[in-house]
């Protein structure tokens, strides 16, 4: 049995296990929140506490570790941001990023036959999603095909390969590869869990569900998150729509999405008041994992920001670096540069008045910095050196300076 | 106000903020579990749900993200191990290891003045503990002094330095440095939160508390964990003693500790039926983060294993590598080599009959593999390459081979 899918844009429905509507826009699973209430959350671990809002119940194994990430606040970060910031630590996942939610759900659905007759899963990615899909496929004993761009750094491929997928470097346009796998995969019995497909987006809903539950019976004023393909953004929007429809939240928080200035097609479209996101020629940015010049769910994310009263903004690498360092030095939190865009975005939104100083906003810190901390450029320049015999002198000097 | 401290060995008490008893053995905080029951856990996040068993309540900020790690099981791992294994994923912490529990509690206690008049925290470490202490000190706005060995790889120092501690490379014997900082730190207003000090061990209790709560009202048969300094081992033992004293568990699970064969002073002492652990000359091992030739709480860990009916075993690098790969390929879990010793140890304990096939044992996977996955040596040797124009042919070949 497959689920009916629905187009957020034209409203068309299909029972085919497709990722795209005939109109070209991405599909959602057509799910009904019914009379969901916060009392309906279950005792299942992590994201599975919302099983009544999900199309599949929890399978055994690693999926129990998806979701359930902490949310913390830090007075120094509030001061830096100029508002009340709640930091959602999505890095605390088995493979270190929010992608595990979508992988867990997508692979559970495939393993239960909800995506039809399937012999393998796959994905097109150069980083977090590839690692996440490979890990959850390994846990579910499903063959996994990971298609990566030709120029992937070898160390990043090593990280993916530890879970023993079939990894393939592909020469050619990355955007076309992404769409071709969605079109051609089903005929070969492969479900490509690319970043904005219905099954992955359905798992990505749970980030927003957890955030809203943490504020219940209140509702946060805004969610601020990095945006790349638009898959996570679509998941957040779908979650908020379902919670509102069920009456579990009394208003819909604003969705703000943040891009790197060097590659910001969705922010550009928002700024230009355009109806659609169009492909750009992207430049280099330290936030490489969100630098998507042709986001497949870009227009859907644009709509999510507009319809919730949010916005899409772009931040430059200096702002990203400053935010990344503030998270580490002020709050003790290590994130990848793309995740630091959330804090940089909040700063910009407060400065221009979109977010008020007494608002409560959640910054979704999408991925840990542990994978690349040594390459983060945040290192302080000097390290002292002492001989053990001189330790006492050093300690004396240390506290008299630091006091 | 400081807490009274008590020697597990000779029973002496002191109100001084010392790490060592006059008899030379490490001290514990003298805490009283009272009538603790599982119904007494609070709604606080993570490890702070056990606040009635902890000497300090939760501070603001990052500490809310310490503890609360998932526990998962995987049928393939059970088959590999020959028993029922519950995998405790301690890598899902802000800095990727179990050390965050002890850092969170230790720094909270220092910030609240429970360790006397203190102007800074410090630690002696070459890896996980240094990173963890630096992160939690940054979050608490406390100056932090990190003393690392002279030969630390630069990339590991970069990871620590992102939180902006004062990091110092020290030339000289590591074991002497460890003890000298404990002796001399207080006179300089620096609390060294080294791995087996009372305040860190008190936070490390919470690993075992979470494990036992997950099994309640039953009790797991055994906890299996890597051992290095003996700090985490001591924390687990203290937790089990307190739970038993309060009547929250009806029997004490066996504590099994695992070392790398190349550097196994505690396993050697256990095997030799010795009363004390003595320093060894350690060899090279991939599990470098637990290769401590002179563990400061070695004798305490030895006693913990004996008094709970457990054991201390050693596993060689081949067994560690095999276990690490099984966790990744079968269960989708990436761990550092030292953490994989827990699974390798279970395999050995099942083979020799210490653990039965119908037992329920928890493997404490102490740290994520994300920090060093590219250096893990677990990579599969071959990566395919295709041109986008040939994708269709590749997909056809992929599923016909994999079916």
């Amino acid at each position: 049995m497959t689920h009916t899918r629905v187009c957020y844009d034209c409203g068309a429905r299909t029972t085919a296990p497709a990722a795209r509507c005939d109109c070209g826009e991405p599909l959602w699973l057509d799910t009904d929140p019914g009379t969901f209430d916060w009392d309906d959350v279950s005792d299942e671990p992590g994201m599975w506490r919302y099983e009544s809002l999900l199309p599949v119940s929890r399978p055994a194994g690693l999926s129990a570790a998806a979701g359930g990430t902490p949310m913390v606040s830090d007075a120094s970060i509030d001061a830096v941001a100029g508002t009340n910031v709640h930091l959602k630590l999505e890095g605390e996942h088995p493979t270190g990023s929010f992608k595990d939610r979508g992988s867990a759900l997508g692979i559970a659905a495939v393993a239960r036959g909800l995506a039809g007759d399937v012999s393998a899963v796959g994905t097109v990615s150069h980083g977090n999603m590839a690692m996440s899909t490979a890990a959850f496929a390994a846990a579910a004993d499903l063959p996994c095909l990971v298609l990566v761009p030709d120029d992937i750094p070898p160390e990043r491929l090593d990280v993916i390969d530890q879970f023993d997928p079939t990894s393939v470097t592909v020469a050619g346009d990355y955007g076309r590869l992404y769409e071709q796998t969605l079109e051609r995969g089903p005929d070969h019995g492969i479900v490509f869990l690319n970043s904005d497909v219905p099954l992955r987006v359905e798992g990505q809903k749970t980030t927003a569900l957890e955030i809203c539950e943490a504020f219940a019976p209140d509702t946060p004023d805004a969610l601020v998150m990095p945006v790349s393909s638009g898959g996570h953004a679509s998941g957040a929007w779908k979650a908020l729509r379902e919670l509102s429809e069920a009456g579990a939240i009394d208003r819909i928080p604003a969705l703000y999405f943040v891009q790197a200035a060097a590659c910001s097609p969705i922010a550009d479209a928002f700024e230009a008041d355009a109806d659609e996101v169009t492909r750009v020629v992207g430049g280099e940015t330290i936030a490489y994992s969100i630098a998507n010049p042709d986001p497949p769910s870009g227009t859907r994310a644009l709509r999510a920001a507009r319809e919730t009263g949010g916005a899409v903004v772009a931040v430059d690498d200096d702002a990203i670096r400053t935010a990344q360092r503030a998270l580490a030095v002020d709050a003790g939190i290590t994130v990848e540069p793309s995740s630091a865009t959330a804090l940089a975005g909040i700063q910009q939104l407060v400065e221009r008045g979109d977010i008020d100083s007494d608002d409560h906003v959640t910054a979704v810190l999408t991925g840990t910095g542990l994978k690349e901390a040594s390459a983060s450029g945040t290192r302080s320049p000097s390290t002292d050196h002492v001989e053990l015999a001189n330790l006492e002198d050093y300690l004396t000097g240390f506290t008299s300076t630091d006091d």
Side-chain angles (χ1 to χ4, degrees), chain A residues 3 31 60 83 103 144 151 154 181 185 193 216 220 285 300 328 352 373 402:
Chain A
H3 282 76
T31 52
T83 190
S103 301
C144 181
D151 57 352
T181 54
L193 293 168
T285 166
R300 190 162 54 165
R352 70 183 213 191
D402 267 342

Side-chain angles (χ1 to χ4, degrees), chain A residues 45-113:
Chain A
M47 61 183 259
W48 305 97
R49 63 196 273 104
Y50 308 108
E51 57 187 359
S52 63
L53 293 174
L54 300 177
V56 58
S57 60
R58 178 171 72 89
L62 184 62
S63 62
T69 58
M71 192 160 69
V72 308
S73 45
D74 183 283
S76 306
I77 295 296
D78 288 354
V80 162
T83 190
N84 305 293
V85 182
H86 303 264
L87 303 160
K88 182 70 172 164
L89 306 187
E90 288 294 290
E92 291 196 34
H93 265 115
T95 74
S97 86
F98 73 101
K99 291 289 186 184
D100 287 353
R101 298 177 185 270
S103 301
L105 189 127
I107 286 168
V110 169
R112 299 271 174 82

Side-chain angles (χ1 to χ4, degrees), chain A residues 208-225:
Chain A
L209 296 178
E210 288 179 12
I211 291 167
C212 288
E213 188 188 2
F215 283 91
D218 293 332
T219 307
D221 295 295
L223 273 61
V224 185
M225 51 205 288

Side-chain angles (χ1 to χ4, degrees), chain A residues 174 178 195 228-229 259 263-265 280 288-296:
Chain A
Y174 193 68
Y178 185 102
S195 65
S228 175
S229 70
Q259 300 207 282
C263 186
S264 56
V280 299
Y288 63 85
S289 68
I290 57 166
N292 190 329
D294 188 20

Side-chain angles (χ1 to χ4, degrees), chain A residues 285-311:
Chain A
T285 166
I286 57 169
Y288 63 85
S289 68
I290 57 166
N292 190 329
D294 188 20
S297 278
T299 300
R300 190 162 54 165
L302 183 69
R303 187 76 68 81
R306 282 209 186 109
E307 296 202 2
T308 59

Side-chain angles (χ1 to χ4, degrees), chain A residues 74-85 343 346-351 355-361:
Chain A
D74 183 283
S76 306
I77 295 296
D78 288 354
V80 162
T83 190
N84 305 293
V85 182
L343 177 58
I346 291 172
Q347 291 176 303
Q348 185 182 121
L349 289 161
V350 170
E351 275 164 28
I355 292 176
D356 290 335
S357 61
D358 59 352
D359 280 353
H360 283 268
V361 306

